[in-house]
């Protein structure tokens, strides 16, 4: 495969996605064969563009909150003051991953009601785990020689954390964020079962009215978003890895 | 003697204290209306309420002080058991006699207390570093404990059990379907993914193409993939003779099964490839040196050495499938999701719990069992290597 081909494909994917979101009607002939005669081929209960933006906003808020808390917690348990929490936090991460998204979503409803809130909670919890796990792995596997050197140079704990440990861990942390975002983009669609405004609404409308075109467009938009975001975060990760100088 | 505190224990005790001061149970006029919150002392006869508080304070003290992990584990288990039994009693105590509409559900305080002491138990267990067989033993004891409480009928007054008793038959049918969906699709994914992974390992040209395709499938959201398979399967059922007879239909379990199978392929194939790639070159050279055929080498050397990594893939798949199988209910595929979505639709939260709690328990048990078996495999291997 030629080196420019993947980049070109991604560019095309981005263009196709934008074109579809801005003017879905022009794609109608493509989707028309999938639906029964007089059924609409393009989602008609709201603008796809605004649903996409709301979807992204929900994922962004949840992942951003998860990133801050997860990194904070990982820093805490790797300091001497929080060392007692380390073994438990490891097993909690393990246990947390066994909770199915639908269950978390459904159990959040009685606490906060229907709508965007339960979705934010579920996405936040799901986002926490990969970021926490990666940050923890990165912080506990730093090269010993570098840490000794930092200590030898007389750096304080704070200086070591912000000037040595975090910068060195950044690529692995970004990999965790990337994983979280991709999982959450897909999980957010389930949020529409509890009335959150996400692209899941389109898919669920399709399931309810037996409209394949709706299911397909909802699914493909989310898939395309996931691929594009995954790739750009991979790019960021590579850039950071090169800057850190570890390959 | 200076008393030393356990930092984690202090956090646990604080969570438990919040739990004690929040409401313990809710009394609702019927299954969907909002209810009236009751504190521990309101929800139980006063002697029992104070007794429960005493046990909780004792277990909380055990958490705060530095004690052996065993002592903490026993304190946590005792607190959990008493808590659960008290909840069951609260249901009988609160429900007005002769009122068959009133429902009693656990409230936030109960869940906080449960969470706090489960944390204490989890921490104690982590510190004990139990060998794999002991973890399975703990799991069996916990399962028997929960089973015992449910069988004894002490929870029968609670709303979730009333939801259950109304649909006990359906519950077990859906449970069977859930297990069938999760395990069946896993078996299919192993049957296809393992040879595919071995193939990818041998013919590296294919590896990237296969893994990239499987990666693409993972980006499609589950509810969309379930839906998208309805069309092709309906067509398949209509055109292939006999397909409809063995239960393949556009909606129902078939698309759910295929979707779960497709999601499962990536972890199985990827981990098989990684596991095989991690087999030390010396092991392969030695096997070749003693004149093993390719086939013998694969089954006697490569696969056994790659087994822990492959099992890790299977663990990921099983836990993920148990969770995802809940979504099958959206397309009529059955499983515990039926109760979750019915409950959401009727805003009957205890019905949601009836679907969600068994799913979580199943995923958790699957994770514990597979983790233990992975570790056993590692030990066998390391033992064999050092021997």
């Amino acid at each position: 495969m030629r080196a420019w081909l993947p980049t070109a494909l991604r560019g095309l994917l981005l263009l196709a996605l934008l074109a579809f979101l801005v003017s879905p009607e022009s794609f109608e002939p493509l989707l028309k064969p999938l639906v029964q005669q007089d059924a609409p081929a393009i989602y008609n209960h709201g603008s796809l563009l605004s649903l996409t933006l709301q979807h992204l906003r929900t994922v962004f808020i949840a992942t951003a909150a998860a990133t801050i808390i997860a990194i904070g917690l990982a820093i805490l348990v790797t300091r001497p003051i929080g060392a007692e929490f380390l073994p438990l936090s490891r097993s909690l991460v393990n246990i947390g991953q066994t909770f199915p998204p639908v269950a978390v979503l459904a159990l959040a409803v009685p606490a906060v009601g229907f709508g965007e809130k339960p979705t934010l909670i579920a996405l936040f919890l799901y986002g926490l785990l990969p970021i926490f796990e990666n940050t923890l792995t990165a912080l506990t596997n730093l090269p010993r020689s570098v840490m000794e050197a930092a200590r030898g140079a007389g750096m304080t704990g704070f200086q070591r954390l912000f000037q040595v440990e975090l910068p060195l861990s950044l690529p692995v942390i970004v990999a965790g964020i990337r994983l979280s975002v991709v999982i959450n983009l897909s999980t957010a669609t389930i949020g529409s079962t509890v009335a959150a405004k996400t692209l899941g609404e389109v898919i669920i409308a399709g399931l309810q009215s037996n409209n394949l075109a709706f299911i397909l467009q909802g699914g493909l938009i989310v898939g395309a978003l996931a691929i594009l975001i995954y790739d750009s975060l991979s790019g960021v990760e590579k850039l950071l890895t090169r800057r850190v100088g570890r390959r | 003697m200076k008393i030393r505190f356990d930092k984690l224990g202090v956090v646990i005790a604080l969570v438990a204290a919040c739990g004690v001061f929040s409401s313990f149970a809710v009394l609702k006029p019927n299954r969907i209306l909002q209810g009236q919150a009751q504190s521990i002392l309101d929800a139980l006869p006063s002697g029992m309420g104070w007794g429960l508080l005493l046990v909780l304070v004792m277990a909380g003290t055990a958490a705060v002080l530095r004690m052996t992990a065993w002592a903490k584990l026993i304190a946590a288990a005792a607190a959990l058991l008493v808590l659960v039994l008290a909840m069951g009693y609260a249901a009988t105590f609160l429900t007005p006699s002769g009122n068959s509409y009133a429902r009693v559900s656990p409230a936030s305080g109960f869940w906080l207390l449960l969470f706090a002491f489960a944390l204490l138990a989890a921490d104690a267990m982590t510190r004990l570093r139990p060998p794999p067989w002991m973890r399975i033993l703990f799991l069996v004891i916990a399962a028997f404990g929960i089973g015992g409480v449910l069988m004894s009928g002490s929870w029968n007054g609670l709303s979730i059990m009333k939801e259950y008793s109304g649909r006990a038959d359906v519950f077990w049918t859906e449970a069977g379907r859930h297990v069938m969906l999760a395990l069946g699709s896993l078996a299919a994914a192993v049957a296809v993914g393992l040879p595919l992974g071995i193939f990818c390992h041998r013919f590296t040209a294919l590896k990237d193409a296969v893994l990239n395709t499987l990666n693409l499938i993972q980006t499609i959201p589950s509810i969309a993939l379930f839906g998208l398979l309805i069309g092709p399967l309906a067509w398949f059922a209509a055109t292939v003779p006999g397909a409809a007879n063995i239960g393949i239909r556009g909606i129902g379990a078939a698309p759910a099964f295929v979707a779960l199978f497709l999601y499962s392929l990536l972890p199985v194939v990827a981990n098989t490839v990684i596991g095989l790639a991690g087999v030390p070159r010396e092991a392969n050279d030695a096997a070749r040196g003693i004149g093993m055929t390719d086939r013998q080498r694969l089954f006697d050397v490569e696969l056994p050495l790659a087994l822990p990594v492959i099992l890790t893939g299977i663990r990921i798949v099983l836990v993920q499938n148990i969770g995802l199988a809940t979504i099958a209910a959206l397309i009529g595929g059955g499983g515990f999701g039926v109760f979750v979505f019915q409950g959401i639709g009727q805003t009957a939260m205890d019905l949601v719990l009836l679907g969600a709690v068994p799913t979580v328990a199943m995923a958790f048990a699957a994770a514990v069992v597979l983790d233990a078996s992975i570790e056993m495999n590692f030990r066998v291997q390391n033992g064999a290597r050092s021997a």
Side-chain angles (χ1 to χ4, degrees):
Chain A
M1 219 189 279
R2 288 186 193 91
W4 52 264
L5 193 62
T7 324
L9 281 178
R10 267 159 223 157
L12 272 180
L13 182 64
L14 180 63
L15 280 181
L17 178 67
L18 289 177
F20 185 76
L21 288 178
V22 172
S23 138
E25 306 79 31
S26 47
F27 288 78
E28 202 171 350
L30 275 176
L31 292 165
K32 199 78 199 167
L34 292 172
V35 292
Q36 273 113 11
Q37 301 230 307
D38 35 342
I42 299 293
Y43 189 63
N44 51 3
H45 297 292
S47 127
L48 282 171
L49 183 62
S50 78
L51 278 178
T52 307
L53 291 178
Q54 265 167 321
H55 191 107
L56 286 175
R57 200 186 75 131
T58 309
V59 172
F60 178 79
I61 295 175
T63 315
T67 307
I68 294 169
I69 302 288
I71 296 180
L73 281 178
I75 291 176
L76 182 74
V77 299
T78 49
R79 301 304 103 184
I81 190 171
E84 276 177 49
F85 298 89
L86 185 60
L88 177 69
S89 62
R90 279 231 165 93
S91 40
L92 268 190
V93 166
N94 239 331
I95 297 171
Q97 272 157 345
T98 63
F99 274 70
V102 182
V104 175
L105 210 56
L107 296 180
V109 170
V112 295
F114 285 91
E116 205 190 2
K117 278 190 207 148
T119 316
L120 280 174
I121 291 178
L123 294 188
F124 169 73
L125 290 176
Y126 271 82
L128 272 182
L129 302 170
I131 305 175
F132 179 74
E133 207 171 358
N134 275 28
T135 313
L136 200 59
T137 314
L139 286 178
T140 46
N141 287 314
L142 290 170
R144 188 174 283 261
S145 54
V146 176
M147 296 302 296
E148 301 273 305
R151 218 169 278 141
M155 286 176 129
T156 63
F158 261 106
Q159 287 173 324
R160 279 206 304 274
L161 176 63
F162 285 102
Q163 293 172 17
V164 181
E165 295 179 46
L166 282 181
L168 281 178
S169 309
L170 212 50
V172 185
I173 298 177
V174 172
I177 297 175
R178 182 183 64 179
L179 207 60
S180 280
V181 172
V182 172
I183 295 174
N184 276 348
L185 275 172
S186 165
T187 310
T189 54
I190 305 176
S192 290
T193 56
V194 291
K197 285 253 167 226
T198 71
L199 286 165
E201 208 178 281
V202 183
I203 301 169
I204 290 174
L207 286 175
Q208 279 164 351
S209 62
N210 198 10
N211 185 327
L212 202 57
F214 283 8
I215 303 176
L216 194 65
Q217 56 196 272
L220 287 184
I221 295 174
V222 178
L225 287 174
I227 292 170
L228 290 170
I229 295 177
Y230 182 91
D231 281 347
S232 33
L233 284 175
S234 299
V236 172
E237 194 191 320
K238 267 192 200 126
L239 212 73
L240 287 169
T241 314
R242 212 170 296 150
R243 235 188 51 182
V244 168
R246 286 203 299 176
R247 289 211 56 118
Chain B
M1 197 182 87
K2 194 178 153 222
I3 299 175
R4 291 172 66 212
F5 293 109
D6 183 326
K7 279 180 208 152
L8 179 68
V10 173
V11 175
I12 289 174
L14 284 176
V15 175
C18 288
V20 166
F21 290 111
S22 327
S23 51
F24 185 66
V26 193
L27 172 64
K28 294 181 281 191
N30 68 29
R31 65 194 280 261
I32 45 181
L33 283 182
Q34 290 280 318
Q36 213 182 350
Q38 313 272 339
S39 71
I40 289 184
L41 291 176
D42 296 333
L44 293 164
S46 67
M48 211 180 226
W50 286 109
L52 173 62
L53 283 179
L54 184 68
V55 173
L56 294 179
V57 168
M58 274 161 56
T61 317
V64 171
L65 297 177
R66 281 186 183 270
M67 300 169 89
T68 61
W70 277 110
K72 292 199 176 208
L73 184 59
I74 291 168
L80 286 173
L81 186 67
V82 171
L83 204 56
V84 165
L85 291 177
M87 188 72 240
Y89 196 82
T92 344
F93 180 69
L94 284 177
T95 312
S97 58
N99 183 343
S100 57
Y101 293 108
R103 293 296 185 99
V104 178
S105 308
S108 53
F110 172 79
W111 295 118
L112 276 177
L113 285 165
L114 204 66
F115 174 68
F117 290 108
L119 266 187
L120 183 61
D123 182 52
M125 257 184 243
T126 316
R127 275 163 213 262
L128 282 173
R129 293 176 192 276
W133 62 266
M134 202 196 275
R135 274 182 282 164
I136 295 191
L137 186 70
F138 279 143
L139 183 70
V140 172
I141 293 174
F144 270 103
I146 296 169
V149 168
L150 293 180
M151 299 282 264
S152 73
S154 72
W155 266 45
N156 282 1
L158 275 177
S159 187
I160 180 171
M161 291 311 286
K162 286 188 179 164
E163 298 286 351
Y164 166 76
S165 66
R167 33 176 93 67
D169 293 346
V170 189
F171 181 86
W172 291 108
T173 326
E174 299 302 355
R177 280 222 202 145
H178 201 104
V179 173
M180 199 278 290
L181 276 177
L183 283 182
S185 59
L186 169 70
V190 172
V192 175
L194 205 58
L196 194 60
I198 295 170
F199 201 68
C200 286
H201 176 64
R202 291 280 155 95
F203 304 95
T204 30
L206 273 173
K207 193 174 91 182
D208 287 345
V210 171
L211 288 182
N212 282 339
T213 316
L214 294 178
N215 254 320
L216 274 184
I217 296 176
Q218 301 273 325
T219 64
I220 306 174
S222 44
I223 49 175
L225 188 59
F226 281 61
L228 289 178
L229 289 164
I230 294 177
L233 282 169
W235 177 82
F236 188 77
T239 45
V240 178
N245 290 335
I246 57 167
I248 295 177
R249 239 172 270 117
I251 55 164
F257 189 91
V258 177
L260 290 178
F261 164 75
L262 289 175
Y263 279 127
S264 312
L265 273 180
L266 179 72
V268 174
V269 175
N271 278 44
T272 308
V273 172
I274 296 169
L276 289 176
V279 172
R281 180 182 281 268
E282 303 85 52
N284 268 323
D285 286 348
R288 276 199 203 94
I290 60 168
M292 280 182 157
T293 62
D294 270 4
R295 200 190 162 77
Q296 283 173 328
R297 204 158 49 83
L298 176 67
F299 285 104
D300 297 342
V301 179
E302 289 184 302
L303 280 182
L305 284 177
L307 193 60
V309 184
I310 298 176
L311 277 177
T312 312
I314 291 178
R315 175 203 188 275
I316 297 172
V317 168
L318 188 56
V319 171
Q320 172 186 299
N321 274 3
I322 293 174
L324 277 179
T326 44
I327 299 177
L330 276 183
I331 52 166
F336 285 128
V338 170
F339 306 121
V340 174
F341 289 116
Q342 264 177 21
I344 292 177
Q346 303 170 2
T347 63
M349 283 312 144
D350 298 299
L351 188 52
V352 171
L353 282 178
L354 184 64
V357 173
T359 315
V360 173
M362 238 163 77
F364 180 69
V368 171
V369 170
L370 278 171
D371 274 340
S373 63
I374 291 167
E375 205 173 298
M376 278 183 205
N377 259 292
F378 261 122
R379 290 192 177 193
V380 169
Q381 266 187 22
N382 291 342
R385 261 181 214 161
S386 58

